[in-house]
Amino acid sequence: MTREAERCHGLEGHAVLLAAGLADLAVSTVGSAVGTVRGLLRRSDAVELAAEAEHDLVARGRLALDRYAAVPPAHLEILARHAQDRKAAGGV
């Protein structure tokens, strides 16, 4: 067994392999994205396409902020409202 093969068996080796895999994925993704951008720049409607992409990104940003920044109502507040509704409805 070679030294490289021995290193891949430990936790450190696993982390190195994981990092190498992520780096390879990033490089291939960037290469693919560059090819896509080159194709888009050749289009005659690039300005409209860019404006539409910006609009989509803004909408996506709003959705993300709404999803993660919204504070859920307090649990005790919800329980108090339920108790108040029951009391108003004649329940105990």
Side-chain angles (χ1 to χ4, degrees):
M1 190 179 274
T2 64
R3 291 190 110 150
E4 289 79 25
E6 289 175 8
R7 277 190 285 179
C8 293
H9 287 294
L11 186 59
E12 291 172 358
H14 183 73
V16 168
L17 291 175
L18 183 62
L22 286 172
D24 183 56
L25 178 64
V27 167
S28 66
T29 302
V30 167
S32 176
V34 167
T36 302
V37 168
R38 283 185 185 156
L40 291 175
L41 290 176
R42 292 187 193 119
R43 293 178 58 142
S44 61
D45 63 343
V47 174
E48 292 87 8
L49 192 63
E52 193 175 311
E54 179 183 1
H55 183 268
D56 288 348
L57 285 174
V58 168
R60 188 180 191 104
R62 281 190 187 121
L63 289 173
L65 287 178
D66 288 346
R67 183 173 48 237
Y68 296 114
V71 178
H75 180 69
L76 291 177
E77 180 69 25
I78 293 171
L79 291 176
R81 286 183 187 165
H82 284 300
Q84 189 176 25
D85 290 344
R86 254 184 295 161
K87 187 176 180 182
V92 178

